[in-house]
Amino acid sequence: MTVTTANPTLPAAERAVRQDLDQLHAEALDLARRTKELAVVLDRGDYSAAGGRVRTAVTHIWRAAEDLHSAFHTAPPRCAGPDASMSRLCGRRMRYLAARVARRAE
């Protein structure tokens, strides 16, 4: 199936895949943030070894979030056509994330 830029609609399955990837990416970033907060708490006192292990988990979660980010760019592009360049997709993704952060700040 070919999707062109002239046709801004995508099949529901393709849209769902990208939305799922985007949601998983956001959840992974949130999990990394929360896990880092836990590591800071565990770094105190007798639990410093546990804090180190949790800090290692943060690294793994962060890498998983980056893998999801990469998958987002190689998934069927929303309204960009199958031949969209990586720079175009990354630019769209960064604008989307900036708008999302701005909405949270309000």
Side-chain angles (χ1 to χ4, degrees):
M1 177 178 171
T2 302
V3 178
T4 64
T5 55
N7 183 2
T9 60
L10 287 177
E14 290 179 8
R15 185 169 301 277
V17 166
R18 291 184 61 85
Q19 288 172 342
D20 287 348
L21 285 170
D22 189 42
Q23 181 64 37
L24 285 171
H25 180 250
E27 290 172 4
L29 291 177
D30 185 54
L31 179 61
R33 180 191 54 77
R34 292 182 7 234
T35 306
K36 181 180 174 187
E37 291 170 0
L38 177 62
V40 169
V41 171
L42 290 173
D43 277 343
R44 299 186 184 109
D46 295 335
Y47 300 107
S48 61
R53 290 189 180 268
V54 172
R55 202 171 295 284
T56 300
V58 171
T59 304
H60 292 295
I61 295 167
W62 182 257
R63 286 185 185 141
E66 291 305 308
D67 286 342
L68 287 166
H69 177 77
S70 296
F72 182 91
H73 290 301
T74 55
R78 277 185 271 199
C79 307
D83 298 323
S85 67
M86 183 61 76
S87 63
R88 180 174 178 200
L89 293 174
C90 283
R92 293 178 76 214
R93 175 75 175 147
M94 292 303 111
R95 285 190 302 276
Y96 167 76
L97 289 175
R100 200 160 125 184
V101 167
R103 281 193 305 268
R104 282 187 182 173
E106 293 174 350

